[in-house]
Amino acid sequence: MARDLRRDLHAVGAAVLLVTAAVLIGHHIQHTRHTLRVDWPPLLGSWGPHGGPGSPVAVVVAVATVGYGPALAARLPWRALLVTAWGTATAWILSLALIDGWQRGVAGRLTSRHEYLQVVGRFHDVPAALRDFTHHILLESPDNWPAHVAGHPPAATLTFVLLDRIGLRGGGWAGLWCVAVGATACVAVLVAVRALADEGLARRAAPFLALAPAAVWMGTSADAYFAAVAAWSVALLALAVTGRRVRSGALGSGLLLGLTCYLSYGLTLFALIGAAVLLLGRGRVRERPELLVLVLAGAAVVPTAFTLAGFDWWEAYRLLVTRYRQGAGGIRPYGYWVWANLACTVLITGLATAAGLRRTGATLRHHRGLPRCDGPHRSGAAGRLALLVAAALLALLVADLSGMSKAETERIWLPFALWLLPSCAFLTHPRAWLAAQAVLALLLNHLLLTGW
């Protein structure tokens, strides 16, 4: 057995042990102390083997992607590859969701008592609702917001209010929106990897992004939509610093980054991934200083609009911290979740990503100097991809250490997890690794009743 493959399997073994420990220790804590507030630790879900109309479709998508994905990714014209990746990701997410049936898997997800559609009727006067938003965050406040509404800035809820206003009412349309838009995240990551590293690595990563185990939780979660917005902010910045779309890319990146911060408080950590992009394209940034000005100008648009409308982001976040401690977040033990969250990450990114991250670390260790993607000193593509993946891993670890993500990270960390998947481009024997990814997702979705 080749030395690299043996080390990959060691990394996989360590990931399996981490998940096993999280399951066994988690069940013990939950059954004796009842403090984890999840039925099947470390995941929020319950044991319930089942099947549904999506089962055969999901198997067909998995088999086809494993069998033909790597070859097609290598041969298709670039734009055709992006369309195919989006179509495959959409089919994979939706088919996995439909294993639970249309109502439970799609239409009912965003209508539960914790979700955004519960409050659409309270936004008939949007400016007034924004001015009053912070008055309903705490549990003791009158007509307090449901958990997910209180836990996010109002741009998240406004998205579903706007869908309702244009006639796309109800959980079915909301769920399909999250699936269709969320699936574009894989396209955004591919665009960024091609711009910052090279096309060959992006093509190798494409099947892994399209067939990610994360799809189990992307259908149908608003966090999939958040992941797409955040991913496109990075992709546009990557195009700007590599000279493909300097002005439009920089301005668009800033606009989406500002929106990202008003969709989820925790996604402000995407600034770390953006900083890695700027570091890789530092030569272009020095040559075109207006690039940074445009990014910052774009990033100010959404915060300015919400502030003028009467919403105070900082006050809302302060109140959210209090509410988080009032609820399950104040009961769930940090000492367990600070490492069990990482076991959740293994489950949403798959065993192939565990091996890919090992190779990412090895690439960074062997790479001399700080990689860059521009100018005459353009350095190795592998090093540039490794730096991008490492920045995403750093953002995830900061989120973990913050203590504001105790449990449910299989959903909450979807935006970060998608940026770990390109590490699979470093792997040999892609079909075997893809098969492992597909089997994991199918087992999780068929054996557990996941929720949030």
Side-chain angles (χ1 to χ4, degrees):
M1 185 183 296
R3 183 175 61 178
D4 280 342
L5 179 57
R6 185 167 58 252
R7 290 176 176 175
D8 290 342
L9 295 177
H10 288 163
V12 168
V16 170
L17 286 175
L18 176 64
V19 172
T20 302
V23 171
L24 296 178
I25 295 173
H27 275 80
H28 174 74
I29 295 174
Q30 180 62 13
H31 291 153
T32 57
R33 303 178 192 174
H34 309 287
T35 56
L36 297 188
R37 296 296 183 94
V38 293
D39 292 330
W40 205 87
L43 300 176
L44 182 64
S46 58
W47 181 259
H50 64 289
S55 298
V57 181
V59 171
V60 169
V61 173
V63 171
T65 306
V66 171
Y68 301 102
L72 283 175
R75 291 199 309 262
L76 284 174
W78 177 249
R79 291 185 180 179
L81 172 60
L82 296 181
V83 173
T84 303
W86 174 79
T88 303
T90 301
W92 181 233
I93 295 168
L94 191 56
S95 62
L96 288 173
L98 290 173
I99 291 172
D100 294 341
W102 169 256
Q103 184 58 37
R104 188 182 189 282
V106 180
R109 288 286 192 181
L110 294 169
T111 61
S112 72
R113 65 189 181 92
H114 297 300
E115 286 287 359
Y116 304 96
L117 294 190
Q118 288 290 321
V119 302
V120 167
R122 292 171 61 178
F123 278 74
H124 58 276
D125 183 343
V126 172
L130 291 178
R131 288 192 298 271
D132 199 41
F133 192 87
T134 56
H135 298 150
H136 304 286
I137 293 177
L138 296 180
L139 282 176
E140 66 267 19
S141 60
D143 296 321
N144 62 77
W145 298 121
H148 288 184
V149 177
H152 295 83
T157 306
L158 280 181
T159 299
F160 300 103
V161 171
L162 292 174
L163 286 176
D164 182 84
R165 295 280 176 87
I166 64 174
L168 302 180
R169 298 183 177 89
W173 283 113
L176 291 176
W177 162 267
C178 291
V179 171
V181 176
T184 70
C186 81
V187 179
V189 175
L190 290 175
V191 169
V193 171
R194 181 184 186 234
L196 297 171
D198 71 10
E199 187 171 315
L201 286 170
R203 288 178 178 275
R204 290 178 61 83
F208 291 95
L209 283 158
L211 203 66
V216 173
W217 292 274
M218 292 182 76
T220 52
S221 164
D223 292 85
Y225 156 54
F226 305 160
V229 175
W232 280 110
S233 73
V234 175
L236 290 176
L237 184 59
L239 293 175
V241 301
T242 53
R244 291 169 173 83
R245 296 283 189 277
V246 177
R247 293 182 178 177
S248 60
L251 184 60
S253 173
L255 282 167
L256 291 182
L257 181 59
L259 175 58
T260 296
C261 295
Y262 277 72
L263 290 171
S264 174
Y265 297 103
L267 295 187
T268 53
L269 290 172
F270 255 73
L272 292 174
I273 304 176
V277 174
L278 292 174
L279 185 63
L280 288 168
R282 56 194 180 278
R284 177 73 59 179
V285 175
R286 281 197 294 266
E287 292 171 6
R288 303 285 296 272
E290 72 269 22
L291 188 153
L292 267 182
V293 174
L294 288 169
V295 171
L296 294 174
V301 171
V302 172
T304 299
F306 274 94
T307 301
L308 291 176
F311 173 71
D312 187 336
W313 191 97
W314 292 102
E315 174 66 7
Y317 180 71
R318 184 186 68 80
L319 292 170
L320 169 63
V321 173
T322 301
R323 169 148 178 180
Y324 185 71
R325 292 169 179 164
Q326 290 176 327
I331 298 171
R332 288 169 171 159
Y334 180 85
Y336 171 79
W337 288 111
V338 73
W339 60 270
N341 283 336
L342 302 180
C344 291
T345 305
V346 171
L347 294 173
I348 62 177
T349 59
L351 299 178
T353 304
L357 289 176
R358 186 210 68 81
R359 294 208 178 206
T360 298
T363 299
L364 288 174
R365 285 196 303 273
H366 294 124
H367 191 87
R368 293 185 178 181
L370 198 58
R372 58 188 299 170
C373 61
D374 57 355
H377 303 294
R378 183 181 177 96
S379 46
R384 299 194 299 273
L385 176 57
L387 181 64
L388 181 65
V389 171
L393 181 59
L394 175 62
L396 185 147
L397 292 175
V398 172
D400 188 31
L401 293 173
S402 74
M404 288 297 289
S405 298
K406 289 183 285 188
E408 301 180 57
T409 52
E410 64 271 21
R411 169 185 58 82
I412 299 169
W413 286 357
L414 286 172
F416 302 115
L418 292 178
W419 291 91
L420 303 182
L421 292 164
S423 66
C424 297
F426 295 131
L427 298 174
T428 56
H429 312 293
R431 284 192 177 88
W433 290 112
L434 275 172
Q437 300 286 85
V439 168
L440 175 62
L442 290 169
L443 285 175
L444 286 169
N445 219 141
H446 282 95
L447 296 178
L448 300 178
L449 292 167
T450 58
W452 42 83

